[in-house]
Amino acid sequence: MAALSRPTLPPPTERFTLLGWLQKNLFNSWYNALLSVLTVVFIYWIIRGLLVWATSVAEWQVVAANLRLFLVGQYPVDELWRVWICLYVLAFISGASYGLWSRGVGAFGIALLAGPLFLSALPFTLNLRLLMIGIAVTGFFGWLLAMRLPALFRTPVTWSWVLYMVFVILMVRGFTPAGGFLPVVPSNLWGGLLLTFLLTVIGIVFSFPIGVALALGRRSNLPIMRYSSIAFIELVRGVPLITVLFMAQLMLPLFLPAGVTIDRVLRAMVGITLFSAAYLAENVRGGLQSIPKGQEEAALALGLNGFQRMALIILPQALRAIIPILVGQFIALFKDTTLVAIVGLFDLLGIAKTVLAQPEFIGRQAEVLAFVSLLYFMFSYVISYISRRIEVAQGVGER
Amino acid sequence: MSETSETGSEQPIIIAKDVHKWYGHFHALKGINMQVHKGEVIVIFGPSGSGKSTFIRTINRLEEHQRGQIIVDGIELTHDVRNIEKIRMETGMVFQQFNLFPHLTVMQNITLAPIWVRKWKKQKAEELAMQLLERVGIPEQAGKFPGQLSGGQQQRVAIARALAMQPKIMLFDEPTSALDPEMIKEVLDVMIELARSGMTMLVVTHEMGFARAVANRMFFFDDGQLVESGTPQEIFKSPKEDRTKLFLSQILTH
């Protein structure tokens, strides 16, 4: 019986030594050692090449001189303050959200702050650099205030995210005639990163309810609902996005009453939204199928009606289950918006093409594409980082 | 079939007349007749596939019966959605797999239906929920999510969730079959307390100890039929049907 009274031992801990770590992780056999050495040499070769090119060969004037084009396209200079206000509001609610929902400071918060500060250190005009610093300061204040007064900020910040898109559209587009407080800026002047963002966010915001509705329609007991949902989903999923965009440009006007014209950007938005909705519908359907039948039965037994069962029990669980897939889809959508360059809109990539056509910057493709790629990567990475945080935060009640 | 209820003068709270149910060509219920009076505790037992779960699920229309009549608390179950909703408000159900809502806390699980179906104020619903959690012995778990609880605790939350609608009838579909042995007792204790408080209960279970302790009558199902019914005394001491004897000998000898 002596064995029973044996004291519980803590697990053995490994002492960390650099040599030990190296041997265990990089050189634990001759072929792993070979692989490690080759990989390190390869990475060094790539990085060195990139750095040498970026610092001594590349001529970044093409980016610096056209920065405004890249960011906002032909948007009138006099009205640019509207975009800045959108950015400042975004900085504030991002900072506040970070203060509310993230514990501690964390590397990501510092990166958010350091981004605009870093940009302000680059050789732009003084005005631009001051505005950049302003963004960092605004974000910091949002963070500080929300940290101090979380109870006061929680509801307004949640709502401001919901309303932010409406606000941005109103600000960017304007709604008064020329000479008014916010004169209308026609959408053919929107361009660059601004247009890419608007296409993406509009696509996400509108395809979400449509996609959920299509997914529910596909599971409906009513044959007309079910078959029309299936027809739409399969039709759209069966054609490439570029076709949908061309169709939206060429065909959408045919369905409108004579005399009504809608502009090209709106047509592209409709095309992207419908395309994204069809894919989203299939993802949501997968989420719905992953919910055990018992959940529906328990909700039925409690007397919840059909709408309550869907809205309170099934959908919240289904959507949470597919957060990673949804984010992946949204990142893909963000990158797919580059296709509008082909139907003649000047999104980030479309602007890049026009910049490359400027006579003084002939042959600067590498710089321009590197810059554009960097922008796409940065934003995609931020989105996927935020989604991982949401997943962790939402994982609390996981079965 | 003889009625052995002590409240025989009253209208039965559940009446089933010649209830049939098919799954495709499979005849799952072959003409079930029974009456249950207010305050009775009924234990339904029988081999797997005998239709006992299917039957109690027809009482709150989780399964639809295709022939015969079911009348619950004076309301007949038909295709009329309003009748179905009324009956579901009066009957609580506890499932084998608990079926708690994993994305909601224990408190939210319990208050959901009172708030959305009975249209109670949140505060009133939460007060009742705390009382119920105390009754099932886990008031300290109110803020946790179901995934953080043991199986026995989850099932007790599920009982509290069903009771929160203040039902007249409680249906239990093998409530202890998915539990580890050491947790069965804590759930049965709650059910025994509930039975002694006068709740009308239909319990599908193989826990014969529970049946002996609180059941007023026992129904033996086999092959979609109600083979035999009687008090626990009659069923255990002198079962009339051979099938009942055989089944009891199989589950009581180990």
Side-chain angles (χ1 to χ4, degrees):
Chain A
M1 284 299 109
L4 281 180
S5 59
R6 198 178 283 161
T8 53
L9 295 173
T13 48
E14 276 178 47
R15 280 247 312 276
F16 179 84
T17 58
L18 186 60
L19 261 170
W21 185 89
L22 281 176
Q23 205 198 345
K24 187 178 166 207
N25 291 293
L26 299 181
F27 302 103
N28 58 358
S29 63
W30 70 265
Y31 47 88
N32 279 352
L34 184 69
L35 206 58
S36 297
V37 170
L38 282 179
T39 313
V40 168
V41 169
F42 184 69
I43 293 172
Y44 171 77
W45 179 63
I46 296 271
I47 299 234
R48 184 174 167 281
L50 268 180
L51 282 179
V52 167
W53 174 79
T55 51
S56 57
V57 182
E59 292 177 23
W60 294 105
Q61 294 94 315
V62 60
V63 173
N66 292 297
L67 194 65
R68 192 167 57 77
L69 270 184
F70 280 119
L71 297 183
V72 295
Q74 304 278 350
Y75 203 84
V77 183
D78 289 341
E79 303 296 335
L80 269 182
W81 59 273
R82 284 147 59 163
V83 180
W84 279 108
I85 285 187
C86 293
L87 279 180
Y88 270 71
V89 172
L90 180 65
F92 187 82
I93 54 180
S94 303
S97 307
Y98 197 76
L100 283 176
W101 290 299
S102 173
R103 283 164 279 286
V105 179
F108 188 69
I110 293 172
L112 271 188
L113 207 58
L117 285 179
F118 169 74
L119 289 177
S120 72
L122 294 177
F124 300 130
T125 60
L126 181 65
N127 239 340
L128 203 55
R129 292 163 72 174
L130 287 178
L131 282 166
M132 287 290 181
I133 294 178
I135 283 187
V137 171
T138 310
F140 179 72
F141 263 110
W143 175 76
L144 203 65
L145 282 173
M147 286 280 277
R148 286 286 156 82
L149 309 161
L152 194 67
F153 270 74
R154 191 155 290 139
T155 320
V157 168
T158 313
W159 275 108
S160 41
W161 278 117
V162 177
L163 296 176
Y164 184 69
M165 254 341 277
V166 182
F167 173 73
V168 169
I169 299 280
L170 282 181
M171 285 300 281
V172 170
R173 185 171 184 280
F175 43 83
T176 61
F181 167 61
L182 282 178
V184 171
V185 176
S187 62
N188 56 5
L189 296 182
W190 307 358
L193 194 58
L194 177 69
L195 180 60
T196 297
F197 268 142
L198 287 176
L199 288 171
T200 308
V201 180
I202 295 277
I204 292 172
V205 169
F206 286 96
S207 69
F208 194 78
I210 299 176
V212 171
L214 281 170
L216 297 180
R218 191 165 187 168
R219 283 164 59 98
S220 165
N221 292 325
L222 308 170
I224 294 186
M225 291 274 282
R226 185 167 66 246
Y227 288 116
S228 47
S229 300
I230 292 176
F232 178 85
I233 292 169
E234 295 305 332
L235 191 70
V236 174
R237 274 160 46 95
V239 294
L241 175 56
I242 187 67
T243 342
V244 175
L245 289 175
F246 273 120
M247 294 279 266
Q249 297 296 334
L250 302 174
M251 305 263 302
L252 207 52
L254 300 183
F255 294 108
L256 294 171
V260 177
T261 54
I262 53 174
D263 66 72
R264 298 158 60 79
V265 171
L266 191 57
R267 283 183 230 170
M269 282 174 174
V270 170
I272 287 174
T273 302
L274 294 182
F275 184 79
S276 175
Y279 279 85
L280 202 128
E282 286 299 272
N283 290 336
V284 172
R285 191 166 69 100
L288 291 173
Q289 278 169 350
S290 74
I291 306 303
K293 204 160 171 281
Q295 293 290 311
E296 173 92 14
E297 287 179 352
L300 276 173
L302 285 171
L304 298 173
N305 66 33
F307 175 78
Q308 291 166 339
R309 291 197 300 274
M310 191 46 73
L312 300 172
I313 307 299
I314 308 296
L315 261 189
Q317 296 186 56
L319 294 182
R320 193 176 68 181
I322 57 168
I323 287 176
I325 304 174
L326 286 186
V327 173
Q329 202 200 322
F330 290 151
I331 291 177
L333 178 67
F334 174 58
K335 293 179 294 182
D336 283 349
T337 56
T338 47
L339 286 173
V340 300
I342 297 176
V343 293
L345 299 187
F346 297 106
D347 76 317
L348 194 48
L349 198 68
I351 286 286
K353 285 201 307 189
T354 61
V355 166
L356 287 173
Q358 293 168 354
E360 64 267 45
F361 296 122
I362 295 283
R364 293 269 81 92
Q365 284 95 335
E367 287 85 348
V368 168
L369 286 176
F371 174 70
V372 168
S373 307
L374 187 68
L375 279 182
Y376 275 113
F377 170 74
M378 265 169 40
F379 288 108
S380 302
Y381 187 78
V382 167
I383 300 173
S384 90
Y385 177 88
I386 293 173
S387 90
R388 264 179 282 148
R389 294 307 300 256
I390 293 175
E391 259 175 79
V392 172
Q394 292 280 299
V396 178
E398 213 66 65
R399 249 201 248 249
Chain B
M1 199 177 305
S2 66
E3 280 302 329
T4 50
S5 168
E6 57 269 53
T7 51
S9 58
E10 248 179 276
Q11 164 89 350
I13 195 164
I14 300 172
I15 304 169
K17 283 184 198 157
D18 193 31
V19 172
H20 287 262
K21 164 86 188 165
W22 286 264
Y23 290 109
H25 288 288
F26 177 66
H27 201 171
L29 295 177
K30 301 174 179 169
I32 307 294
N33 287 293
M34 68 157 69
Q35 297 194 343
V36 179
H37 288 86
K38 204 164 185 307
E40 272 195 301
V41 176
I42 307 289
V43 163
I44 300 174
F45 69 110
S48 72
S50 60
K52 53 194 192 307
S53 284
T54 306
F55 176 70
I56 75 161
R57 288 159 60 91
T58 58
I59 292 172
N60 66 351
R61 198 68 162 197
L62 288 185
E63 304 285 354
E64 200 177 306
H65 61 283
Q66 288 133 337
R67 226 168 79 189
Q69 230 184 351
I70 298 177
I71 299 166
V72 181
D73 198 24
I75 306 168
E76 185 177 353
L77 270 173
T78 58
H79 285 283
D80 190 334
V81 179
R82 279 165 307 174
N83 282 355
I84 297 173
E85 279 176 3
K86 263 186 220 153
I87 287 172
R88 282 179 181 153
M89 281 171 76
E90 304 303 339
T91 54
M93 188 162 205
V94 176
F95 299 87
Q96 181 176 1
Q97 300 295 340
F98 327 139
N99 293 350
L100 292 177
F101 305 128
H103 62 302
L104 301 176
T105 62
V106 166
M107 178 56 88
Q108 290 167 332
N109 263 281
I110 299 174
T111 56
L112 184 85
I115 290 173
W116 288 91
V117 181
R118 289 234 188 265
K119 312 290 180 196
W120 284 10
K121 289 262 181 307
K122 190 177 173 209
Q123 196 198 349
K124 184 181 173 194
E126 287 188 347
E127 277 167 19
L128 175 70
M130 274 322 284
Q131 287 171 17
L132 289 171
L133 281 175
E134 261 158 47
R135 189 167 170 193
V136 301
I138 39 174
E140 71 284 358
Q141 311 287 358
K144 289 198 182 159
F145 286 94
Q148 294 166 297
L149 305 184
S150 74
Q153 290 172 328
Q154 290 195 41
Q155 193 61 299
R156 285 189 280 163
V157 172
I159 294 172
R161 179 177 70 177
L163 288 175
M165 284 295 281
Q166 303 188 313
K168 294 182 180 160
I169 303 161
M170 284 286 283
L171 307 173
F172 291 82
D173 188 2
E174 306 207 25
T176 56
S177 302
L179 293 174
D180 291 334
E182 77 271 23
M183 292 171 184
I184 291 176
K185 186 176 176 300
E186 64 186 54
V187 171
L188 286 181
D189 285 347
V190 169
M191 290 169 59
I192 288 170
E193 187 267 327
L194 190 62
R196 292 193 171 137
S197 76
M199 176 64 78
T200 310
M201 292 164 66
L202 262 72
V203 185
V204 173
T205 186
H206 293 133
E207 294 295 331
M208 290 302 139
F210 173 81
R212 275 204 187 88
V214 291
N216 299 105
R217 283 187 293 157
M218 296 176 70
F219 291 162
F220 176 65
F221 272 57
D222 191 17
D223 194 26
Q225 290 163 316
L226 176 49
V227 175
E228 182 167 2
S229 72
T231 63
Q233 196 106 34
E234 293 164 356
I235 296 283
F236 289 124
K237 291 273 167 58
S238 50
K240 293 191 266 308
E241 301 286 333
D242 290 340
R243 282 193 277 179
T244 318
K245 284 178 201 160
L246 179 67
F247 183 73
L248 281 172
S249 72
Q250 283 165 343
I251 62 168
L252 291 177
T253 47
H254 60 79

